[in-house]
Amino acid sequence: MKTLSITTLILALLFYLVDPTRACGEEVRVERSRPMMGTMVEITALGPDRDLCDRSVEQAFQEIEAVDRLMSSFKGDSQVSQLNRLAGKTWMVLDPEVLDVLEAAVLYSRLSEGAFDITVGPLLRLWGFYRDKGHLPSTQEIGQARSRVNYRDIEIDQPKGRARLKKPGMAIDLGAIAKGYAVDKAVEALKKKGIRKGLVNAGGDLYAFGRPEEKAPWLIGLQHPREREKVATVLEVEDRAVATSGNYERYFVLKGKRYTHILDPRTGWPIQGMASVTVMADSAMKADALATSVFVLGPQRGLALLNRLPGVEGIIVAEEGPGGKQLVPYFSKGLKGRVSLDF
Ligand code: ADP
Ligand code: MG
């Protein structure tokens, strides 16, 4: 399971630990966290009065709850679970939000040449990621599951508001993109209520807007990939999303080897040799999907993808050398020489 510890520490908040709802000047700051979507979601709103902040934060949580209800693979009655049960059989009419996320997912599959693929469901099941108990599959089992993995077999019919999975046994999983989408929806809700400064963090997929203080943007600490309590670097963030995919969040160990929950759809195997990928972009959904894509692509091809997308930056930490013990950072063009990591 994804732990409740938070990938990304918000250093700025440390100054407010005494009282989470604290007036500063004429401004009120409301900060709440709740366990949701298999992680801890934190929402912060700054505004003119407590009541507005409270109501906005509540509304933002409800948006996230709604996304989870529609898109979770862990809820049998979600639209995603229903769509999976209809694989190879028939079309299903879906909420526009689900269709939009499916469409975006297919776009990221194309952009990443198949590294990102939400049809990895059969592989996730095979490796035991749905029952929290690892299983080392045989080559034959992997081959069988892989034959049902292909984003091109998702058919989306926007005019009729429906989609289908063409092959029996196919299953989609939105674990690499839905949290980012939920963060964007929560931010939209805060803004609609009139909040101009805020932060939504779903366990390392976050969006920060406005400035918490006149002179300073939001300060986002990136967790060290090996030592939970350590911060590898601090990023300044304003009106941007940051998402991190790591091999330390959900994994199992078999015979001394670590198997992470991010899989290579082409080989059917968990990705090796990557510690973490952090992506900055203009939406949390984009950052989330790209972080997973780059994690699968690896440092070279991953950097090439980040560098050709406008407004996107990223930090890749690879595990290199004997036993993968050495952490080696790679930076996209816009971050090179501007950010350093403290390992
Ligand atoms: P986290 O959940 O730690 O933020 P990610 O955003 O990288 O990490 O999402 C990982 C999840 O994405 C996995 O748990 C699984 O549900 C799904 N997934 C695994 N491999 C892929 C892949 N190649 N393409 C798309 N989704 C994937
Ligand atoms: Mg992701």
Side-chain angles (χ1 to χ4, degrees):
M1 261 321 282
K2 182 136 189 177
T3 63
L4 294 186
S5 96
I6 295 144
T7 310
T8 315
L9 297 166
I10 293 85
L11 292 185
L13 300 185
L14 292 178
F15 301 110
Y16 295 86
L17 278 180
V18 189
D19 178 3
T21 59
R22 162 177 180 266
C24 47
E26 305 134 62
E27 222 167 37
V28 172
R29 177 190 187 110
V30 168
E31 186 202 340
R32 307 246 184 278
S33 18
R34 267 180 217 173
M36 290 172 116
M37 296 186 96
T39 188
M40 191 58 98
V41 177
E42 302 177 328
I43 302 182
T44 305
L46 280 76
D49 70 86
R50 179 155 312 185
D51 191 45
L52 175 74
C53 289
D54 275 337
R55 277 185 288 119
S56 309
V57 168
E58 188 51 43
Q59 182 64 40
F61 275 123
Q62 282 178 24
E63 294 291 335
I64 294 178
E65 187 68 48
V67 171
D68 194 36
R69 218 177 299 127
L70 286 171
M71 304 189 197
S72 171
S73 289
F74 295 93
K75 295 189 159 80
D77 59 350
S78 72
Q79 290 199 353
V80 162
S81 295
Q82 294 178 52
L83 181 67
N84 286 343
R85 281 196 294 273
L86 295 175
K89 295 185 187 129
T90 179
W91 293 90
M92 180 177 165
V93 173
L94 297 162
D95 274 28
E97 286 90 351
V98 182
L99 283 170
D100 287 349
V101 173
L102 290 184
E103 211 150 63
V106 171
L107 172 87
Y108 291 111
S109 289
R110 291 200 191 109
L111 268 181
S112 65
E113 295 170 19
F116 184 89
D117 194 328
I118 56 167
T119 66
V120 290
L123 286 167
L124 289 168
R125 179 167 306 282
L126 177 62
W127 281 93
F129 286 107
Y130 288 131
R131 51 171 199 276
D132 261 338
K133 190 169 176 297
H135 161 70
L136 199 57
S138 68
T139 318
Q140 199 191 1
E141 285 176 311
I142 289 181
Q144 257 172 16
R146 257 183 56 210
S147 70
R148 291 177 266 142
V149 175
N150 192 341
Y151 67 92
R152 294 181 192 84
D153 292 327
I154 305 171
E155 227 177 324
I156 301 167
D157 179 359
Q158 276 283 11
K160 291 199 171 128
R162 58 185 196 167
R164 70 168 177 150
L165 307 177
K166 283 196 212 160
K167 286 190 186 159
M170 274 181 81
I172 59 163
D173 182 297
L174 298 181
I177 189 169
K179 252 188 291 156
Y181 180 77
V183 167
D184 290 335
K185 294 291 275 189
V187 168
E188 206 182 285
L190 291 176
K191 287 183 174 171
K192 233 188 242 162
K193 292 262 185 203
I195 301 295
R196 308 239 172 285
K197 308 168 181 179
L199 185 143
V200 178
N201 181 8
D205 290 353
L206 64 89
Y207 190 95
F209 60 104
R211 291 184 150 227
E213 273 159 274
E214 214 175 303
K215 291 202 190 81
W218 295 92
L219 300 179
I220 307 297
L222 289 191
Q223 188 188 305
H224 188 290
R226 296 260 169 83
E227 295 160 61
R228 282 201 170 280
E229 305 314 320
K230 251 181 151 172
V231 173
T233 194
V234 177
L235 303 169
E236 298 191 345
V237 183
E238 187 174 350
D239 299 325
R240 264 166 94 67
V242 182
T244 300
S245 283
N247 72 351
Y248 47 87
E249 284 292 350
R250 255 178 76 198
Y251 62 88
F252 59 81
V253 177
L254 281 178
K255 294 184 189 152
K257 228 176 147 179
R258 180 191 288 223
Y259 297 94
T260 183
H261 64 137
I262 303 177
L263 306 175
D264 188 333
R266 292 155 299 187
T267 64
W269 278 75
I271 300 294
Q272 303 279 345
M274 294 285 281
S276 72
V277 175
T278 299
V279 171
M280 281 137 269
D282 57 6
S283 85
M285 179 173 75
K286 189 190 280 184
D288 191 5
L290 286 174
T292 310
S293 307
V294 170
F295 198 96
V296 175
L297 287 170
Q300 277 77 28
R301 293 179 63 209
L303 267 191
L305 174 61
L306 293 175
N307 285 336
R308 74 167 199 268
L309 297 174
V312 173
E313 300 293 342
I315 303 169
I316 299 170
V317 181
E319 295 174 333
E320 297 180 4
K325 288 220 175 347
Q326 199 188 341
L327 294 176
V328 182
Y330 297 82
F331 300 94
S332 63
K333 275 192 301 210
L335 294 183
K336 222 174 186 168
R338 294 189 188 181
V339 176
S340 63
L341 299 186
D342 188 11
F343 288 149

